[in-house]
Amino acid sequence: RGAHKRNRRLQGAPGASCLPLELFLPVHTRYMSPGLPPEADGAAGAAAQPAQGPSEAAGAAAFRRVHPLHYHQAFLAQGVRPDGRGLLRGRRAAASAAVVSSADGSAMAKLGQTTVLAGVQAVPTLPSEAEPGEGRVVISLDQPLAGGERGGQARQEREQSALSELLQRSAAGMVAAASLCIEEEKAVWECRCTLHVLEADGNLTDACLLAMLVALSDTALPAVRFSTGEGEGEDGTARVVVVGSETAPPPSSAASQH
């Protein structure tokens, strides 16, 4: 009792083709110049042509909603996507760690316009009887449901449920459960990772996986000590107290190697 547990990082586990395509493309993707980076393409396009007027943009959005099949067939006929990318060109990926100072680990991931914010909170809790020396990672997904046609909300709920299950299974392979043990049979860490979908514009699964991976890699478990008294604390948490925040060297981990 009273022994300090230094803070540490998580360890890894072992007909429409005749329609003019320009009607639908944003101006910054209409005039992409071969060999130029996306920023230069956008600048060249903006300089070449004036931006879409409100009526033109509204017409494209309305046509996409009313005739989605024809809308996408127009792009397929030209070998491009609605955002101007080639059919085999992936979205640009970017991720930043430690973006939320109040979290034990956090990350922001972007794939194109799709943006996901991940935050990890490490909470001491009692271990399970079956696995007294292993902690756990709990994943939750926060994505607002979009309005739409009848049955659309139910479909979105099913998709979110499936994505949540996939993320939970993936997290089990990213973190070694034994590295979340504070003291066997007494206390373990429960890392609660919440993924907030800020914008969904395709590749949401990949963006969530990237944000979760970076956030877990960024997570540092606080240094703790056992408090006096027996049993569990409030809300099922173990009686441990955070005593410091000194930095411990990050161990090699599967999460940080990906």
Side-chain angles (χ1 to χ4, degrees), residues 1-8 10 104 122-128 131-136 176-191 220-227 236-243:
R1 295 186 182 281
H4 286 31
K5 302 290 184 178
R6 286 179 59 89
N7 70 316
R8 50 200 167 83
L10 303 187
D104 295 309
V123 179
T125 187
L126 296 174
S128 65
E131 298 172 330
E134 296 185 358
R136 47 192 172 269
S179 71
L180 300 177
C181 180
I182 299 174
E183 187 163 338
E184 189 169 350
E185 298 184 352
K186 292 185 177 180
V188 296
W189 289 109
E190 179 177 280
C191 291
L221 300 176
V224 299
R225 66 173 174 81
F226 281 93
S227 64
T237 58
R239 290 183 178 274
V240 296
V241 178
V242 176
V243 297

Side-chain angles (χ1 to χ4, degrees), residues 16-224:
S17 59
C18 62
L19 295 173
L21 185 63
E22 290 76 8
L23 173 63
F24 312 117
L25 278 175
V27 67
H28 66 277
T29 58
R30 289 188 195 175
Y31 308 97
M32 298 186 72
S33 307
L36 292 179
E39 294 82 358
D41 290 338
Q49 292 289 337
Q52 280 182 319
S55 60
E56 185 179 7
F63 185 85
R64 178 175 185 173
R65 188 174 186 84
V66 177
H67 302 290
L69 179 60
H70 295 332
Y71 176 87
H72 289 92
Q73 283 178 338
F75 291 99
L76 288 175
Q78 300 295 327
V80 297
R81 297 171 182 265
D83 61 4
R85 290 180 294 128
L87 296 179
L88 300 180
R89 181 179 176 182
R91 291 177 171 86
R92 173 179 294 184
S96 301
V99 296
V100 180
S101 59
S102 60
D104 295 309
S106 61
M108 177 85 76
K110 294 193 68 174
L111 281 178
Q113 296 300 315
T114 298
T115 307
V116 178
L117 174 66
V120 179
Q121 201 71 35
V123 179
T125 187
L126 296 174
S128 65
E129 294 183 0
E131 298 172 330
E134 296 185 358
R136 47 192 172 269
V137 178
V138 179
I139 306 298
S140 59
L141 180 64
D142 176 24
Q143 180 185 6
L145 295 176
E149 67 280 0
R150 181 184 302 178
Q153 184 170 342
R155 176 179 55 81
Q156 292 178 56
E157 291 176 347
R158 291 194 299 270
E159 291 176 350
Q160 289 186 24
S161 177
L163 178 56
S164 296
E165 293 178 4
L166 172 63
L167 295 171
Q168 186 64 62
R169 293 196 304 269
S170 300
M174 293 181 180
V175 179
S179 71
L180 300 177
C181 180
I182 299 174
E183 187 163 338
E184 189 169 350
E185 298 184 352
K186 292 185 177 180
V188 296
W189 289 109
E190 179 177 280
C191 291
R192 301 171 182 174
C193 180
T194 303
L195 299 166
H196 302 275
V197 179
L198 305 183
E199 185 168 353
D201 190 39
N203 279 128
L204 180 59
T205 298
D206 294 337
C208 287
L209 287 170
L210 178 59
M212 181 175 67
L213 174 63
V214 177
L216 290 174
S217 298
D218 179 59
T219 299
L221 300 176
V224 299

